[in-house]
Amino acid sequence: MTLHIPFDNSYAALPAAFFAPQTPTPVSAPRLVAFNADLAKLLRIEPGETEDMAHAFAGNAVPEGASPIAQLYAGHQFGTFNPQLGDGRAVLLGETLGSDGIRRDIQLKGSGRTPFSRQGDGRAWLGPVLREYVVSEAMHALGIPTTRALAAVETGEDVFREGPMPGAVLTRVARSHLRVGTFQIFAARGQTEELKQLTEYAIARHYPDADGPMGLLTAVRDAQARLIAQWLSVGFIHGVMNTDNCSIAGETIDYGPCAFMDAYHPGRVYSSIDHMGRYAYGRQPEIAVWNIAQLATALIQQMDSPETGVEQAAEIVHAMPDLIQSHWLALFRGKLGLSTAEDGDATLITDLLQHMADQQADFTNTFRALGTPKARDQFTDPMAYDTWEPAWQARIARESDPLGTLARTNPAVIPRNHRIEQMIAAAVDGDYAPFNRLNHVLSEPYTLAKADMELNRPPLPDEVVPATFCGT
Ligand code: AMP
Ligand code: MG
């Protein structure tokens, strides 16, 4: 059987200004190390022989029906505008219509140089590829919008980072790769026609009910507001919320130096390049608003009356903090086992979080254990938990199924950094057992078998991963 991907490409049919045709660069000895059969089924892909798939997902053989391109975009990186980025190490093979009717991109990441590679080698090494695979699939299992991972291939070639590392290619699936930065590049260049075309394309593809540029802005704002609150609810820190990593479809995209927090602190930063804490856990809401403000700035360039555009856009953007806050409140109510709303709930949540921050309580395990002795054990000074618990007990006494709500809203297991690092180290040595185990356990994060309990243990002192790195 040969691999068959039912391509139905729309982006490559846009005018040439939007991309550069680009075939992936072949590699010497591709080896398929991961294939996501469930996702393939959703995409209506017929898997082929392993050898066949290794060649296709390494970019050695372009599957029939693909129209490979590198997409063009710009972006604010750490607040500074970079007028031209683009796919420097990725190639969009094309799109499929899934069995759920949803159109999705199939992209190879790490597939060689493109006209947008700048100084880069166009490649990725195995570590970030497996990290993105595991974390994006875990995110999906947590019910949070995200790009997904279809396959991972080792290339048989070294890439040079701190030293020689095994090269790899990830096959990434996304509702689209449209970013805030895709709009920014045409706005910055004054290419109003292209900006209009892109706006129409994004509306038709993602938000068919949206009315014009301000309708699109509103829809993206809403999707991002919800997404950011969901990140906060599982202790996720994206790490590089640049505008080129902010998806128009509202998916989590670009798993670089991301991390799930162990001990809770709003100022937590893992990324080795985020010296100022711009993308710290607790700053993610304001950064998301900042990103949406950049989208607003780009979108209004196409409006006939810029003054009204500015007014409307400002109103849309200014409403975002409250939107995030209300999603946050709803999600954290759930995390406390509450399915009804009372006035004191926000205080109850923030009081607990304050104690957790003061006492270095583990984010995931504290919420998961609420109401059991294990919860107080998470605090360096358990008295802090004891002072909070009575108010919470009184509150859940007015709930019908608080324990059910707790178990449904608080994951038992998350992809912890030290487990990811251990998994990568093993894979580099040719042992994929930890990778397969993580994928398996994280596919059902709300239950955890006894045998897998060690996977929700916070890192021991010698396991702590102090910093995470970009895939570059
Ligand atoms: P990222 O940090 O992955 O969001 O990438 C930011 C920009 O740098 C994008 O335009 C990437 O395509 C580009 N880039 C990252 N790594 C490489 C690489 N190894 N070779 C070429 N371009 C890269
Ligand atoms: Mg990126």
Side-chain angles (χ1 to χ4, degrees):
M1 200 163 75
T2 50
L3 171 72
H4 178 251
I5 304 179
F7 283 110
D8 182 288
N9 306 331
S10 65
Y11 202 80
L14 289 172
F18 290 89
F19 55 83
Q22 177 67 54
T23 46
T25 311
V27 300
S28 60
R31 190 169 77 88
L32 188 70
V33 293
F35 179 68
N36 190 338
D38 288 345
L39 179 58
K41 199 164 171 215
L42 175 67
L43 302 177
R44 298 187 301 136
I45 292 175
E46 288 164 31
E49 306 293 338
T50 305
E51 184 88 345
D52 211 25
M53 295 208 284
H55 278 267
F57 295 128
N60 283 22
V62 175
E64 202 182 310
S67 11
I69 55 173
Q71 289 177 305
L72 188 60
Y73 54 86
H76 278 92
Q77 300 179 301
F78 289 89
T80 304
F81 189 62
N82 191 325
Q84 198 208 288
L85 293 163
D87 289 332
R89 55 163 163 174
V91 162
L92 175 65
L93 290 179
E95 301 141 36
T96 64
L97 292 172
S99 59
D100 56 1
I102 294 175
R103 176 180 295 279
R104 290 185 184 81
D105 282 3
I106 301 182
Q107 189 204 59
L108 302 184
K109 186 173 175 185
S111 54
R113 288 181 55 82
T114 78
F116 314 127
S117 295
R118 297 170 292 158
Q119 311 308 319
D121 61 3
R123 293 297 185 189
W125 78 273
L126 186 60
V129 164
L130 297 183
R131 165 182 272 270
E132 175 157 350
Y133 195 112
V134 169
V135 182
S136 66
E137 285 302 301
M139 208 67 153
H140 171 72
L142 287 164
I144 301 178
T146 175
T147 64
R148 299 195 58 189
L150 178 63
V153 170
E154 283 192 34
T155 61
E157 295 175 358
D158 279 345
V159 296
F160 294 87
R161 298 296 182 259
E162 300 95 76
M165 309 292 217
V169 178
L170 177 77
T171 304
R172 175 161 77 176
V173 172
R175 285 198 179 215
S176 83
H177 285 83
L178 297 179
R179 314 135 190 275
V180 169
T182 321
F183 289 84
Q184 286 184 291
I185 195 161
F186 300 112
R189 291 175 171 181
Q191 290 178 268
T192 312
E193 258 332 290
E194 282 77 7
L195 192 59
K196 285 182 178 167
Q197 274 175 317
L198 185 65
T199 303
E200 272 170 32
Y201 179 85
I203 290 174
R205 184 161 174 180
H206 297 303
Y207 306 105
D209 298 333
D211 184 12
M214 292 302 105
L216 177 62
L217 180 64
T218 306
V220 179
R221 174 201 68 184
D222 291 351
Q224 283 286 336
R226 186 152 176 278
L227 179 67
I228 301 312
Q230 287 181 295
W231 288 356
L232 298 178
S233 77
V234 294
F236 180 74
I237 304 166
H238 182 283
V240 251
M241 294 173 69
N242 294 334
T243 58
D244 53 302
N245 293 337
C246 179
S247 151
I248 295 300
E251 289 183 329
T252 312
I253 189 169
D254 259 8
Y255 291 83
C258 64
F260 281 76
M261 245 187 322
D262 296 304
Y264 171 74
H265 196 284
R268 184 77 69 225
V269 174
Y270 285 92
S271 169
S272 60
I273 54 170
D274 190 2
H275 307 295
M276 310 288 280
R278 179 179 169 91
Y279 300 139
Y281 171 83
R283 291 199 66 190
Q284 295 182 115
E286 61 178 292
I287 291 294
V289 176
W290 194 89
N291 286 347
I292 293 300
Q294 305 315 311
L295 178 62
T297 305
L299 283 170
I300 49 185
Q301 315 284 320
Q302 66 189 290
M303 295 176 70
D304 297 332
S305 157
E307 288 81 35
T308 9
V310 170
E311 263 171 47
Q312 289 176 354
E315 205 174 297
I316 295 165
V317 176
H318 285 158
M320 192 173 175
D322 283 349
L323 271 175
I324 300 175
Q325 173 65 21
S326 65
H327 285 298
W328 177 89
L329 184 55
L331 289 169
F332 276 78
R333 271 198 176 108
K335 290 182 75 66
L336 288 197
L338 311 178
S339 50
T340 63
E342 288 187 15
D343 280 347
D345 294 347
T347 311
L348 198 59
I349 299 162
T350 49
D351 282 354
L352 175 63
L353 289 172
Q354 186 62 55
H355 290 309
M356 287 168 65
D358 293 344
Q359 304 298 329
Q360 298 174 41
D362 184 83
F363 185 81
T364 304
N365 292 355
T366 300
F367 280 103
R368 181 71 183 186
L370 284 179
T372 74
K374 259 207 185 127
R376 70 188 302 276
D377 292 348
Q378 306 296 323
F379 294 73
T380 43
D381 177 6
M383 290 288 284
Y385 178 77
D386 296 340
T387 59
W388 175 82
E389 210 204 48
W392 176 68
Q393 291 287 1
R395 175 64 184 85
I396 59 167
R398 297 189 291 278
E399 287 284 327
S400 59
D401 182 25
L403 297 183
T405 308
L406 284 174
R408 250 192 330 274
T409 54
N410 293 307
V413 61
I414 46 143
R416 292 189 188 264
N417 252 322
H418 63 294
R419 292 300 184 191
I420 305 252
E421 294 300 324
Q422 291 165 3
M423 171 278 286
I424 292 171
V428 167
D429 286 341
D431 175 12
Y432 275 82
F435 171 79
N436 292 325
R437 182 183 183 203
L438 272 184
N439 278 322
H440 176 69
V441 171
L442 291 166
S443 69
E444 283 187 36
Y446 295 94
T447 55
L448 188 61
K450 268 229 159 57
D452 295 317
M453 285 297 186
E454 56 175 4
L455 292 182
N456 77 358
R457 175 176 59 69
L460 300 170
D462 66 339
E463 289 176 323
V464 170
V465 178
T468 52
F469 299 87
C470 277
T472 47

